[in-house]
mmCIF file of all heavy atoms in Angstrom:
data_model
loop_
_atom_site.group_PDB
_atom_site.id
_atom_site.type_symbol
_atom_site.label_atom_id
_atom_site.label_comp_id
_atom_site.label_asym_id
_atom_site.label_seq_id
_atom_site.Cartn_x
_atom_site.Cartn_y
_atom_site.Cartn_z
ATOM 1 N N SER A 21 97.674 -164.747 344.157
ATOM 2 C CA SER A 21 98.974 -164.896 344.798
ATOM 3 C C SER A 21 99.965 -163.987 343.988
ATOM 4 O O SER A 21 99.650 -163.567 342.881
ATOM 5 C CB SER A 21 99.467 -166.324 344.869
ATOM 6 O OG SER A 21 99.585 -166.859 343.536
ATOM 7 N N ARG A 22 101.083 -163.724 344.601
ATOM 8 C CA ARG A 22 102.055 -162.887 343.946
ATOM 9 C C ARG A 22 103.466 -163.263 344.327
ATOM 10 O O ARG A 22 103.731 -163.804 345.357
ATOM 11 C CB ARG A 22 101.829 -161.369 344.254
ATOM 12 C CG ARG A 22 102.022 -161.000 345.676
ATOM 13 C CD ARG A 22 101.502 -159.617 345.977
ATOM 14 N NE ARG A 22 102.323 -158.589 345.323
ATOM 15 C CZ ARG A 22 102.166 -157.232 345.402
ATOM 16 N NH1 ARG A 22 101.083 -156.798 346.101
ATOM 17 N NH2 ARG A 22 102.934 -156.416 344.794
ATOM 18 N N ASP A 23 104.363 -163.001 343.445
ATOM 19 C CA ASP A 23 105.789 -163.149 343.618
ATOM 20 C C ASP A 23 106.382 -161.731 343.563
ATOM 21 O O ASP A 23 106.545 -161.170 342.483
ATOM 22 C CB ASP A 23 106.414 -164.018 342.535
ATOM 23 C CG ASP A 23 107.876 -164.324 342.779
ATOM 24 O OD1 ASP A 23 108.548 -163.513 343.435
ATOM 25 O OD2 ASP A 23 108.313 -165.358 342.297
ATOM 26 N N ASN A 24 106.611 -161.168 344.733
ATOM 27 C CA ASN A 24 107.035 -159.770 344.838
ATOM 28 C C ASN A 24 108.367 -159.584 344.157
ATOM 29 O O ASN A 24 108.617 -158.516 343.596
ATOM 30 C CB ASN A 24 107.116 -159.312 346.329
ATOM 31 C CG ASN A 24 105.756 -159.182 346.922
ATOM 32 O OD1 ASN A 24 104.743 -158.839 346.252
ATOM 33 N ND2 ASN A 24 105.673 -159.508 348.209
ATOM 34 N N ALA A 25 109.251 -160.544 344.266
ATOM 35 C CA ALA A 25 110.609 -160.408 343.702
ATOM 36 C C ALA A 25 110.540 -160.301 342.165
ATOM 37 O O ALA A 25 111.343 -159.640 341.528
ATOM 38 C CB ALA A 25 111.473 -161.598 344.058
ATOM 39 N N LYS A 26 109.513 -160.895 341.547
ATOM 40 C CA LYS A 26 109.301 -160.924 340.143
ATOM 41 C C LYS A 26 108.238 -159.938 339.655
ATOM 42 O O LYS A 26 107.961 -159.785 338.495
ATOM 43 C CB LYS A 26 108.989 -162.249 339.620
ATOM 44 C CG LYS A 26 110.115 -163.297 339.851
ATOM 45 C CD LYS A 26 109.723 -164.667 339.319
ATOM 46 C CE LYS A 26 110.816 -165.702 339.541
ATOM 47 N NZ LYS A 26 110.421 -167.014 339.073
ATOM 48 N N ASN A 27 107.637 -159.283 340.607
ATOM 49 C CA ASN A 27 106.554 -158.339 340.342
ATOM 50 C C ASN A 27 105.477 -159.004 339.446
ATOM 51 O O ASN A 27 104.992 -158.461 338.423
ATOM 52 C CB ASN A 27 107.071 -157.032 339.685
ATOM 53 C CG ASN A 27 107.711 -156.110 340.653
ATOM 54 O OD1 ASN A 27 107.259 -155.956 341.787
ATOM 55 N ND2 ASN A 27 108.810 -155.532 340.238
ATOM 56 N N THR A 28 105.149 -160.195 339.884
ATOM 57 C CA THR A 28 104.163 -160.966 339.123
ATOM 58 C C THR A 28 102.995 -161.391 340.030
ATOM 59 O O THR A 28 103.183 -161.784 341.168
ATOM 60 C CB THR A 28 104.788 -162.194 338.549
ATOM 61 O OG1 THR A 28 105.845 -161.851 337.650
ATOM 62 C CG2 THR A 28 103.828 -163.047 337.745
ATOM 63 N N VAL A 29 101.772 -161.314 339.543
ATOM 64 C CA VAL A 29 100.609 -161.735 340.244
ATOM 65 C C VAL A 29 99.923 -162.810 339.484
ATOM 66 O O VAL A 29 99.965 -162.817 338.203
ATOM 67 C CB VAL A 29 99.708 -160.553 340.510
ATOM 68 C CG1 VAL A 29 99.042 -159.975 339.199
ATOM 69 C CG2 VAL A 29 98.571 -160.914 341.454
ATOM 70 N N TYR A 30 99.317 -163.762 340.180
ATOM 71 C CA TYR A 30 98.668 -164.883 339.541
ATOM 72 C C TYR A 30 97.170 -164.932 339.993
ATOM 73 O O TYR A 30 96.851 -164.457 341.099
ATOM 74 C CB TYR A 30 99.290 -166.170 339.933
ATOM 75 C CG TYR A 30 100.795 -166.217 339.628
ATOM 76 C CD1 TYR A 30 101.740 -165.813 340.595
ATOM 77 C CD2 TYR A 30 101.315 -166.627 338.398
ATOM 78 C CE1 TYR A 30 103.114 -165.822 340.347
ATOM 79 C CE2 TYR A 30 102.631 -166.625 338.110
ATOM 80 C CZ TYR A 30 103.547 -166.210 339.147
ATOM 81 O OH TYR A 30 104.929 -166.227 338.879
ATOM 82 N N LEU A 31 96.403 -165.538 339.241
ATOM 83 C CA LEU A 31 95.017 -165.820 339.627
ATOM 84 C C LEU A 31 94.730 -167.280 339.227
ATOM 85 O O LEU A 31 94.539 -167.566 338.016
ATOM 86 C CB LEU A 31 93.993 -164.881 338.926
ATOM 87 C CG LEU A 31 92.586 -164.993 339.381
ATOM 88 C CD1 LEU A 31 92.440 -164.536 340.864
ATOM 89 C CD2 LEU A 31 91.678 -164.142 338.498
ATOM 90 N N GLN A 32 94.615 -168.108 340.209
ATOM 91 C CA GLN A 32 94.216 -169.493 339.985
ATOM 92 C C GLN A 32 92.719 -169.611 340.067
ATOM 93 O O GLN A 32 92.094 -169.238 341.058
ATOM 94 C CB GLN A 32 94.865 -170.429 341.044
ATOM 95 C CG GLN A 32 94.472 -171.945 340.916
ATOM 96 C CD GLN A 32 94.976 -172.526 339.666
ATOM 97 O OE1 GLN A 32 96.207 -172.354 339.359
ATOM 98 N NE2 GLN A 32 94.165 -173.261 338.939
ATOM 99 N N MET A 33 92.172 -170.052 339.011
ATOM 100 C CA MET A 33 90.653 -170.062 338.860
ATOM 101 C C MET A 33 90.235 -171.578 338.722
ATOM 102 O O MET A 33 90.570 -172.215 337.762
ATOM 103 C CB MET A 33 90.180 -169.293 337.683
ATOM 104 C CG MET A 33 90.644 -167.843 337.699
ATOM 105 S SD MET A 33 89.955 -166.865 336.297
ATOM 106 C CE MET A 33 90.797 -167.693 334.889
ATOM 107 N N ASN A 34 89.463 -172.000 339.722
ATOM 108 C CA ASN A 34 88.968 -173.337 339.733
ATOM 109 C C ASN A 34 87.488 -173.350 339.703
ATOM 110 O O ASN A 34 86.825 -172.328 339.957
ATOM 111 C CB ASN A 34 89.464 -174.106 341.030
ATOM 112 C CG ASN A 34 90.952 -174.194 341.119
ATOM 113 O OD1 ASN A 34 91.637 -174.359 340.056
ATOM 114 N ND2 ASN A 34 91.474 -174.138 342.315
ATOM 115 N N SER A 35 86.856 -174.441 339.380
ATOM 116 C CA SER A 35 85.440 -174.611 339.303
ATOM 117 C C SER A 35 84.808 -173.524 338.502
ATOM 118 O O SER A 35 83.837 -172.907 338.938
ATOM 119 C CB SER A 35 84.853 -174.687 340.756
ATOM 120 O OG SER A 35 85.385 -175.737 341.520
ATOM 121 N N LEU A 36 85.349 -173.258 337.356
ATOM 122 C CA LEU A 36 84.920 -172.200 336.529
ATOM 123 C C LEU A 36 83.459 -172.354 336.031
ATOM 124 O O LEU A 36 83.007 -173.517 335.812
ATOM 125 C CB LEU A 36 85.856 -172.022 335.322
ATOM 126 C CG LEU A 36 87.139 -171.364 335.647
ATOM 127 C CD1 LEU A 36 88.201 -171.603 334.568
ATOM 128 C CD2 LEU A 36 86.952 -169.826 335.840
ATOM 129 N N LYS A 37 82.762 -171.261 336.001
ATOM 130 C CA LYS A 37 81.394 -171.224 335.521
ATOM 131 C C LYS A 37 81.255 -170.349 334.321
ATOM 132 O O LYS A 37 82.101 -169.504 334.100
ATOM 133 C CB LYS A 37 80.495 -170.671 336.686
ATOM 134 C CG LYS A 37 80.659 -171.382 338.079
ATOM 135 C CD LYS A 37 79.811 -170.646 339.084
ATOM 136 C CE LYS A 37 79.918 -171.336 340.418
ATOM 137 N NZ LYS A 37 79.175 -170.599 341.497
ATOM 138 N N PRO A 38 80.191 -170.571 333.563
ATOM 139 C CA PRO A 38 79.990 -169.724 332.362
ATOM 140 C C PRO A 38 79.967 -168.237 332.735
ATOM 141 O O PRO A 38 80.408 -167.409 331.912
ATOM 142 C CB PRO A 38 78.670 -170.259 331.831
ATOM 143 C CG PRO A 38 78.590 -171.666 332.247
ATOM 144 C CD PRO A 38 79.189 -171.694 333.551
ATOM 145 N N GLU A 39 79.436 -167.885 333.854
ATOM 146 C CA GLU A 39 79.359 -166.528 334.300
ATOM 147 C C GLU A 39 80.720 -165.883 334.591
ATOM 148 O O GLU A 39 80.825 -164.729 334.828
ATOM 149 C CB GLU A 39 78.429 -166.326 335.486
ATOM 150 C CG GLU A 39 78.704 -167.294 336.633
ATOM 151 C CD GLU A 39 77.787 -168.455 336.699
ATOM 152 O OE1 GLU A 39 77.573 -169.061 335.571
ATOM 153 O OE2 GLU A 39 77.227 -168.791 337.741
ATOM 154 N N ASP A 40 81.783 -166.749 334.681
ATOM 155 C CA ASP A 40 83.146 -166.242 334.796
ATOM 156 C C ASP A 40 83.718 -165.736 333.484
ATOM 157 O O ASP A 40 84.817 -165.091 333.442
ATOM 158 C CB ASP A 40 84.014 -167.330 335.339
ATOM 159 C CG ASP A 40 83.665 -167.691 336.768
ATOM 160 O OD1 ASP A 40 83.354 -166.787 337.594
ATOM 161 O OD2 ASP A 40 83.706 -168.924 337.097
ATOM 162 N N THR A 41 83.006 -165.959 332.398
ATOM 163 C CA THR A 41 83.483 -165.532 331.145
ATOM 164 C C THR A 41 83.649 -164.048 331.101
ATOM 165 O O THR A 41 82.704 -163.324 331.364
ATOM 166 C CB THR A 41 82.518 -166.057 330.008
ATOM 167 O OG1 THR A 41 82.528 -167.480 329.925
ATOM 168 C CG2 THR A 41 82.938 -165.454 328.633
ATOM 169 N N ALA A 42 84.775 -163.566 330.730
ATOM 170 C CA ALA A 42 85.074 -162.093 330.692
ATOM 171 C C ALA A 42 86.509 -161.892 330.252
ATOM 172 O O ALA A 42 87.293 -162.841 330.151
ATOM 173 C CB ALA A 42 84.932 -161.536 332.176
ATOM 174 N N VAL A 43 86.781 -160.646 330.005
ATOM 175 C CA VAL A 43 88.178 -160.223 329.790
ATOM 176 C C VAL A 43 88.705 -159.891 331.186
ATOM 177 O O VAL A 43 88.147 -159.063 331.829
ATOM 178 C CB VAL A 43 88.296 -159.047 328.858
ATOM 179 C CG1 VAL A 43 89.734 -158.576 328.735
ATOM 180 C CG2 VAL A 43 87.747 -159.388 327.436
ATOM 181 N N TYR A 44 89.825 -160.497 331.510
ATOM 182 C CA TYR A 44 90.457 -160.255 332.771
ATOM 183 C C TYR A 44 91.585 -159.328 332.637
ATOM 184 O O TYR A 44 92.484 -159.513 331.858
ATOM 185 C CB TYR A 44 90.866 -161.611 333.378
ATOM 186 C CG TYR A 44 89.758 -162.435 333.939
ATOM 187 C CD1 TYR A 44 88.800 -163.069 333.087
ATOM 188 C CD2 TYR A 44 89.570 -162.610 335.297
ATOM 189 C CE1 TYR A 44 87.763 -163.735 333.621
ATOM 190 C CE2 TYR A 44 88.506 -163.332 335.814
ATOM 191 C CZ TYR A 44 87.626 -163.883 334.933
ATOM 192 O OH TYR A 44 86.576 -164.654 335.408
ATOM 193 N N TYR A 45 91.576 -158.301 333.462
ATOM 194 C CA TYR A 45 92.600 -157.192 333.434
ATOM 195 C C TYR A 45 93.441 -157.229 334.672
ATOM 196 O O TYR A 45 92.933 -157.413 335.791
ATOM 197 C CB TYR A 45 92.010 -155.902 333.263
ATOM 198 C CG TYR A 45 91.170 -155.691 332.010
ATOM 199 C CD1 TYR A 45 89.825 -155.961 331.929
ATOM 200 C CD2 TYR A 45 91.793 -155.211 330.825
ATOM 201 C CE1 TYR A 45 89.095 -155.815 330.794
ATOM 202 C CE2 TYR A 45 91.121 -155.052 329.667
ATOM 203 C CZ TYR A 45 89.755 -155.330 329.647
ATOM 204 O OH TYR A 45 88.983 -155.185 328.514
ATOM 205 N N CYS A 46 94.746 -157.072 334.572
ATOM 206 C CA CYS A 46 95.626 -156.879 335.669
ATOM 207 C C CYS A 46 95.849 -155.396 335.945
ATOM 208 O O CYS A 46 96.007 -154.601 335.021
ATOM 209 C CB CYS A 46 96.919 -157.625 335.318
ATOM 210 S SG CYS A 46 98.265 -157.434 336.560
ATOM 211 N N LYS A 47 95.895 -155.060 337.219
ATOM 212 C CA LYS A 47 96.208 -153.692 337.579
ATOM 213 C C LYS A 47 97.239 -153.691 338.684
ATOM 214 O O LYS A 47 97.223 -154.496 339.571
ATOM 215 C CB LYS A 47 94.936 -152.986 338.097
ATOM 216 C CG LYS A 47 95.178 -151.486 338.378
ATOM 217 C CD LYS A 47 93.919 -150.822 338.943
ATOM 218 C CE LYS A 47 93.862 -151.024 340.453
ATOM 219 N NZ LYS A 47 92.854 -150.182 341.103
ATOM 220 N N ALA A 48 98.184 -152.776 338.553
ATOM 221 C CA ALA A 48 99.200 -152.669 339.555
ATOM 222 C C ALA A 48 99.385 -151.187 339.921
ATOM 223 O O ALA A 48 99.316 -150.276 339.065
ATOM 224 C CB ALA A 48 100.561 -153.196 339.031
ATOM 225 N N ASP A 49 99.671 -150.915 341.180
ATOM 226 C CA ASP A 49 99.939 -149.616 341.712
ATOM 227 C C ASP A 49 101.319 -149.463 342.104
ATOM 228 O O ASP A 49 101.803 -150.200 343.018
ATOM 229 C CB ASP A 49 98.989 -149.354 342.867
ATOM 230 C CG ASP A 49 99.268 -148.034 343.579
ATOM 231 O OD1 ASP A 49 99.723 -147.058 342.899
ATOM 232 O OD2 ASP A 49 98.975 -147.853 344.822
ATOM 233 N N GLU A 50 102.050 -148.603 341.413
ATOM 234 C CA GLU A 50 103.404 -148.314 341.696
ATOM 235 C C GLU A 50 103.529 -147.149 342.653
ATOM 236 O O GLU A 50 103.042 -146.044 342.366
ATOM 237 C CB GLU A 50 104.254 -148.030 340.490
ATOM 238 C CG GLU A 50 105.763 -147.810 340.758
ATOM 239 C CD GLU A 50 106.546 -147.364 339.562
ATOM 240 O OE1 GLU A 50 106.004 -146.575 338.763
ATOM 241 O OE2 GLU A 50 107.671 -147.800 339.413
ATOM 242 N N TRP A 51 104.073 -147.378 343.855
ATOM 243 C CA TRP A 51 104.131 -146.297 344.817
ATOM 244 C C TRP A 51 105.458 -145.566 344.698
ATOM 245 O O TRP A 51 106.535 -146.156 344.928
ATOM 246 C CB TRP A 51 104.016 -146.887 346.249
ATOM 247 C CG TRP A 51 104.141 -145.787 347.380
ATOM 248 C CD1 TRP A 51 105.111 -145.618 348.172
ATOM 249 C CD2 TRP A 51 103.136 -144.820 347.595
ATOM 250 N NE1 TRP A 51 104.879 -144.585 348.990
ATOM 251 C CE2 TRP A 51 103.633 -144.015 348.663
ATOM 252 C CE3 TRP A 51 101.905 -144.499 347.004
ATOM 253 C CZ2 TRP A 51 102.925 -142.898 349.150
ATOM 254 C CZ3 TRP A 51 101.211 -143.389 347.543
ATOM 255 C CH2 TRP A 51 101.728 -142.674 348.574
ATOM 256 N N ASN A 52 105.381 -144.316 344.363
ATOM 257 C CA ASN A 52 106.513 -143.425 344.250
ATOM 258 C C ASN A 52 106.730 -142.756 345.546
ATOM 259 O O ASN A 52 106.093 -141.733 345.866
ATOM 260 C CB ASN A 52 106.335 -142.435 343.137
ATOM 261 C CG ASN A 52 107.574 -141.594 342.859
ATOM 262 O OD1 ASN A 52 108.366 -141.313 343.695
ATOM 263 N ND2 ASN A 52 107.670 -141.139 341.609
ATOM 264 N N TYR A 53 107.542 -143.291 346.420
ATOM 265 C CA TYR A 53 107.800 -142.753 347.747
ATOM 266 C C TYR A 53 108.487 -141.391 347.734
ATOM 267 O O TYR A 53 108.367 -140.662 348.684
ATOM 268 C CB TYR A 53 108.544 -143.762 348.610
ATOM 269 C CG TYR A 53 109.914 -144.159 348.162
ATOM 270 C CD1 TYR A 53 110.999 -143.340 348.447
ATOM 271 C CD2 TYR A 53 110.113 -145.285 347.344
ATOM 272 C CE1 TYR A 53 112.274 -143.691 347.959
ATOM 273 C CE2 TYR A 53 111.390 -145.634 346.879
ATOM 274 C CZ TYR A 53 112.401 -144.808 347.221
ATOM 275 O OH TYR A 53 113.666 -145.173 346.763
ATOM 276 N N ARG A 54 109.148 -141.111 346.621
ATOM 277 C CA ARG A 54 109.858 -139.871 346.526
ATOM 278 C C ARG A 54 108.886 -138.712 346.332
ATOM 279 O O ARG A 54 109.064 -137.578 346.789
ATOM 280 C CB ARG A 54 110.888 -139.890 345.405
ATOM 281 C CG ARG A 54 112.001 -140.857 345.595
ATOM 282 C CD ARG A 54 112.889 -140.924 344.432
ATOM 283 N NE ARG A 54 113.638 -139.683 344.250
ATOM 284 C CZ ARG A 54 114.342 -139.362 343.201
ATOM 285 N NH1 ARG A 54 114.618 -140.246 342.215
ATOM 286 N NH2 ARG A 54 114.974 -138.195 343.069
ATOM 287 N N LYS A 55 107.798 -139.050 345.649
ATOM 288 C CA LYS A 55 106.817 -138.018 345.381
ATOM 289 C C LYS A 55 105.584 -138.099 346.251
ATOM 290 O O LYS A 55 104.797 -137.207 346.345
ATOM 291 C CB LYS A 55 106.321 -138.018 343.898
ATOM 292 C CG LYS A 55 107.455 -137.677 342.938
ATOM 293 C CD LYS A 55 106.935 -137.620 341.483
ATOM 294 C CE LYS A 55 108.020 -137.118 340.542
ATOM 295 N NZ LYS A 55 107.564 -137.056 339.105
ATOM 296 N N GLY A 56 105.446 -139.192 346.926
ATOM 297 C CA GLY A 56 104.340 -139.417 347.857
ATOM 298 C C GLY A 56 103.031 -139.750 347.226
ATOM 299 O O GLY A 56 101.950 -139.502 347.853
ATOM 300 N N TYR A 57 103.028 -140.380 346.153
ATOM 301 C CA TYR A 57 101.796 -140.824 345.486
ATOM 302 C C TYR A 57 102.037 -142.063 344.686
ATOM 303 O O TYR A 57 103.217 -142.363 344.262
ATOM 304 C CB TYR A 57 101.125 -139.761 344.701
ATOM 305 C CG TYR A 57 101.929 -139.309 343.455
ATOM 306 C CD1 TYR A 57 101.804 -140.035 342.249
ATOM 307 C CD2 TYR A 57 102.678 -138.172 343.491
ATOM 308 C CE1 TYR A 57 102.488 -139.598 341.140
ATOM 309 C CE2 TYR A 57 103.369 -137.752 342.409
ATOM 310 C CZ TYR A 57 103.333 -138.457 341.220
ATOM 311 O OH TYR A 57 103.978 -138.040 340.110
ATOM 312 N N GLY A 58 100.984 -142.792 344.340
ATOM 313 C CA GLY A 58 101.123 -143.956 343.545
ATOM 314 C C GLY A 58 100.448 -143.720 342.143
ATOM 315 O O GLY A 58 99.672 -142.783 341.999
ATOM 316 N N MET A 59 100.758 -144.576 341.273
ATOM 317 C CA MET A 59 100.163 -144.513 339.927
ATOM 318 C C MET A 59 99.734 -145.873 339.450
ATOM 319 O O MET A 59 100.458 -146.874 339.620
ATOM 320 C CB MET A 59 101.212 -143.924 338.922
ATOM 321 C CG MET A 59 100.659 -143.737 337.517
ATOM 322 S SD MET A 59 101.842 -142.875 336.454
ATOM 323 C CE MET A 59 101.678 -141.204 337.168
ATOM 324 N N ASP A 60 98.492 -145.923 338.976
ATOM 325 C CA ASP A 60 97.930 -147.229 338.517
ATOM 326 C C ASP A 60 98.325 -147.529 337.082
ATOM 327 O O ASP A 60 98.347 -146.627 336.225
ATOM 328 C CB ASP A 60 96.426 -147.205 338.684
ATOM 329 C CG ASP A 60 95.972 -147.195 340.076
ATOM 330 O OD1 ASP A 60 96.765 -147.564 340.976
ATOM 331 O OD2 ASP A 60 94.727 -146.832 340.358
ATOM 332 N N TYR A 61 98.572 -148.809 336.823
ATOM 333 C CA TYR A 61 98.857 -149.263 335.528
ATOM 334 C C TYR A 61 97.912 -150.415 335.212
ATOM 335 O O TYR A 61 97.630 -151.219 336.069
ATOM 336 C CB TYR A 61 100.307 -149.660 335.338
ATOM 337 C CG TYR A 61 101.245 -148.540 335.548
ATOM 338 C CD1 TYR A 61 101.760 -148.214 336.722
ATOM 339 C CD2 TYR A 61 101.624 -147.767 334.423
ATOM 340 C CE1 TYR A 61 102.652 -147.100 336.877
ATOM 341 C CE2 TYR A 61 102.515 -146.690 334.517
ATOM 342 C CZ TYR A 61 103.023 -146.418 335.793
ATOM 343 O OH TYR A 61 103.869 -145.337 335.985
ATOM 344 N N TRP A 62 97.517 -150.532 333.944
ATOM 345 C CA TRP A 62 96.601 -151.564 333.500
ATOM 346 C C TRP A 62 97.183 -152.438 332.420
ATOM 347 O O TRP A 62 97.858 -151.916 331.513
ATOM 348 C CB TRP A 62 95.294 -151.012 333.016
ATOM 349 C CG TRP A 62 94.414 -150.421 334.153
ATOM 350 C CD1 TRP A 62 94.473 -149.167 334.620
ATOM 351 C CD2 TRP A 62 93.356 -151.094 334.812
ATOM 352 N NE1 TRP A 62 93.543 -149.009 335.597
ATOM 353 C CE2 TRP A 62 92.835 -150.129 335.697
ATOM 354 C CE3 TRP A 62 92.830 -152.383 334.725
ATOM 355 C CZ2 TRP A 62 91.765 -150.457 336.595
ATOM 356 C CZ3 TRP A 62 91.757 -152.678 335.575
ATOM 357 C CH2 TRP A 62 91.246 -151.767 336.440
ATOM 358 N N GLY A 63 96.935 -153.693 332.451
ATOM 359 C CA GLY A 63 97.263 -154.544 331.354
ATOM 360 C C GLY A 63 96.228 -154.463 330.261
ATOM 361 O O GLY A 63 95.169 -153.847 330.494
#
């Protein structure tokens, strides 16, 4: 889910399994409408 006003995204994880063990990374694409392309950013 996301809160667009706050530019925040959430991931609610239920019924977790050992195979879910990992480093979780957030990625966001900022769309530059002035230049006509987007740029990806990683946490």
Side-chain angles (χ1 to χ4, degrees):
S21 61
R22 66 190 291 181
D23 185 334
N24 291 326
K26 297 181 179 180
N27 285 320
T28 300
V29 65
Y30 307 92
L31 186 67
Q32 179 66 47
M33 305 184 293
N34 298 325
S35 301
L36 283 162
K37 305 174 181 179
E39 51 262 46
D40 294 318
T41 295
V43 175
Y44 284 71
Y45 298 91
C46 176
K47 188 183 81 171
D49 175 28
E50 183 186 38
W51 180 252
N52 187 330
Y53 60 85
R54 295 178 64 186
K55 294 186 176 181
Y57 65 84
M59 182 171 290
D60 290 342
Y61 296 90
W62 289 86

